[in-house]
Amino acid sequence: MGVAVDFDQYKCINFDEGQQIFTDGDDGDHALVIVDGIVEVWINSNGERISLQTLGAGDIVGEMALIDEMPRTASVTALTPVTATVITREAMSERMHAADPALELILRSLIERFRRATSRIDEGKRGVHEDVRRRILQASKLQAELMVALTESQFEMHYQPIVSLVDGSVMGFEALIRWRKEGRLVAPFEFIPMLESSGLIVPVGRWLIGEACAALSRIQAGFGDGRARFMSVNVSGIQLDDPELLGVVRTAIAENKLEKGQLKIELTETMLMKDADATAARLQAFCDEGATVAIDDFGTGYSSLAYLHRFPLHTLKIDRSFVDGCENDAQMLQIVRSISTLAQTLGLNIVAEGIENKQQATVLAALGCDYGQGWLYAKAMPEAELGDYLRDDHAND
Ligand code: C2E
Ligand code: CA
Ligand code: CA
């Protein structure tokens, strides 16, 4: 037998002529895309083999198993030697979850109706699984609500101070989005993933860059000590692909008369590494407009350290999971020390995220971290509260 069943995605497998590939009633967890050869799809009706169709190169067979968990409804036999690639349900469901929830609903409903029309499933087993339906419904509802949130301006920006670890003075801010929904503030983790998967993060991102830069300009004008502070904004992967983003950055800097380095773009390690050459070129274009780039949540991704110098980076933000415990856990301390050394070697300034107590601040300052951000200093707050925060002199608290 020439079968080399390896269900890794896109692996080719071979079947001999006459070999049964799928059997009616079996549990299915994968489909096959026929690369070469011909298969017959057939059913057994009262002992009689009834041929439903023959399929060849470029056709998919067994695809219903990708969408639902019902047994196979027909058998498939190779009529010639066959080569095929495998698509697993696991791989497909990952992609389906990342896609528009309506797409998943359409696919599941089509399969369900087809199965019902051909009456080849038990009465009791019919229906899109209840928890799947509930999940799709919730996702569709959230997506619709976010669309309304965008058109009705329900998003607002809060700003968290970033301070000098040397003297505690406020050096800049990170803009963090909030959703004001029926009077309640919704945290980003509840809606950012949906903004990203639906693509809504693109218009929201364009808006928030302008908004954050305008806020910085107002805060500076209102406070008036002449020191140019920076504003860090988070940018998601799909925003980097937005052809208008560069223009948005240019306009935001120009309209608010920001100096070089006052707008900082935060990207995670994973985003940098995805398409390194193209990303490096895009980031350079932002720098040419006067922005700087920070690598966010550093230490949580899988960046190849050898690659980092290829990007026009200015700042490295040490993830708060390493800051948490660095004051009493030798291992954490060692990690922070290594990251700091790396940043210093690359000439990057360092922001330590999530500082919650003074001991952490002291340790981090001793390791050479320039800036700190965390609840020890302040939580993110609306623009209206920042003036007061800046006026209460926090330096050397
Ligand atoms: P992030 O970029 O790592 O932002 C820092 C998060 O840590 C913020 O949570 C902040 O409130 C929180 N934080 C700050 N200091 C402390 C501390 O001392 N202790 C603890 N436990 N937490 C602290 P937030 O605002 O909930 O944001 C969560 C994530 O949502 C952000 O993580 C970022 O990935 C994303 N996000 C927020 N705003 C935006 C945005 O405007 N655009 C995009 N694309 N993503 C955003
Ligand atoms: Ca961030
Ligand atoms: Ca972060």
Side-chain angles (χ1 to χ4, degrees):
M1 286 273 209
V3 195
V5 183
D6 182 346
F7 290 149
D8 281 353
Q9 192 74 7
Y10 302 126
K11 281 270 167 69
C12 268
I13 56 175
N14 299 308
F15 299 94
D16 294 333
E17 180 178 335
Q19 188 179 343
Q20 187 142 335
I21 298 174
F22 294 143
T23 303
D24 190 357
D26 278 1
D27 286 337
D29 62 358
H30 67 283
L32 296 172
V33 175
I34 302 166
V35 176
D36 198 22
I38 295 170
V39 303
E40 180 186 30
V41 183
W42 56 276
I43 54 170
N44 186 325
S45 180
N46 300 323
E48 194 188 341
R49 176 175 169 139
I50 300 174
S51 179
L52 297 180
Q53 56 184 338
T54 52
L55 298 170
D59 287 325
I60 187 166
V61 66
E63 71 280 4
M64 291 203 284
L66 298 179
I67 316 290
D68 68 17
E69 288 81 42
M70 305 299 290
R72 300 212 185 268
T73 54
S75 301
V76 175
T77 301
L79 294 183
T80 64
V82 166
T83 303
T85 54
V86 176
I87 305 176
T88 61
R89 183 192 295 146
E90 207 181 10
M92 196 47 61
S93 69
E94 251 173 49
R95 277 163 223 187
M96 229 159 24
H97 286 181
D100 191 320
L103 197 62
E104 186 176 357
L105 189 61
I106 291 166
L107 284 173
R108 285 186 180 274
S109 300
L110 282 176
I111 295 286
E112 186 187 332
R113 279 170 207 169
F114 176 78
R115 289 198 189 270
R116 197 167 283 173
T118 52
S119 281
R120 294 193 53 82
I121 55 174
D122 295 348
E123 201 58 41
K125 284 189 172 173
R126 282 179 185 169
V128 176
H129 216 278
E130 249 336 289
D131 49 352
V132 172
R133 190 189 296 279
R134 209 172 306 120
R135 180 172 52 73
I136 296 171
L137 251 178
Q138 269 172 355
S140 294
K141 192 166 160 251
L142 177 61
Q143 192 173 328
E145 285 174 341
L146 289 173
M147 200 84 93
V148 172
L150 176 62
T151 54
E152 296 190 353
S153 309
Q154 293 171 7
F155 294 115
E156 57 185 70
M157 299 313 293
H158 283 203
Y159 303 97
Q160 186 174 29
I162 297 175
V163 308
S164 156
L165 284 179
V166 176
D167 65 6
S169 59
V170 178
M171 307 301 286
F173 311 92
E174 178 173 1
L176 295 160
I177 195 168
R178 302 289 181 261
W179 173 18
R180 190 169 291 280
K181 186 185 172 201
E182 291 147 14
R184 176 176 88 89
L185 274 189
V186 185
F189 75 90
E190 291 189 46
F191 63 90
I192 293 271
M194 178 56 84
L195 283 182
E196 289 175 339
S197 66
S198 64
L200 280 171
I201 193 74
V202 170
V204 170
R206 288 180 193 155
W207 163 78
L208 77 83
I209 289 174
E211 176 64 19
C213 289
L216 178 64
S217 158
R218 287 189 295 259
I219 294 161
Q220 297 256 106
F223 189 59
D225 64 352
R227 178 190 280 181
R229 296 181 176 80
F230 63 82
M231 179 61 78
S232 239
V233 296
N234 294 283
V235 167
S236 303
I238 65 161
Q239 287 178 267
L240 268 194
D241 297 332
D242 173 14
E244 287 186 31
L245 193 68
L246 192 61
V248 168
V249 165
R250 182 182 304 134
T251 308
I253 290 175
E255 283 187 350
N256 297 293
K257 302 191 174 57
L258 300 190
E259 291 173 21
K260 202 170 168 57
Q262 276 195 282
L263 173 61
K264 203 182 273 297
I265 290 171
E266 293 194 7
L267 301 151
T268 60
E269 287 176 86
T270 326
M271 283 165 55
L272 283 188
M273 298 302 154
K274 225 178 71 191
D275 186 357
D277 289 337
T279 305
R282 268 176 214 156
L283 297 184
Q284 187 56 53
F286 291 122
C287 296
D288 294 343
E289 296 297 338
T292 57
V293 179
I295 181 164
D296 199 4
D297 304 341
F298 191 81
T300 59
Y302 300 97
S303 53
S304 154
L305 297 182
Y307 260 51
L308 280 182
H309 73 276
R310 296 174 46 182
F311 300 97
L313 302 174
H314 183 268
T315 304
L316 184 153
K317 299 189 77 174
I318 302 184
D319 190 67
R320 81 165 177 265
S321 54
F322 304 113
V323 169
D324 185 16
C326 74
E327 74 281 29
N328 48 31
D329 178 330
Q331 218 171 358
M332 284 297 172
L333 181 68
Q334 195 46 47
I335 293 174
V336 176
R337 180 176 289 132
S338 308
I339 297 177
S340 307
T341 307
L342 171 76
Q344 282 153 9
T345 308
L346 292 170
L348 307 178
N349 62 36
I350 308 170
V351 178
E353 299 190 279
I355 301 183
E356 295 187 351
N357 60 53
K358 284 203 166 169
Q359 297 93 295
Q360 290 168 348
T362 309
V363 167
L364 292 159
L367 289 178
C369 295
D370 310 277
Y371 306 134
Q373 176 181 358
W375 296 347
L376 171 65
Y377 309 104
K379 292 194 172 179
M381 62 187 97
E383 182 187 337
E385 292 171 23
L386 271 177
D388 284 346
Y389 180 81
L390 287 173
R391 263 180 293 278
D392 296 347
D393 183 358
H394 289 274
N396 295 315
D397 263 5

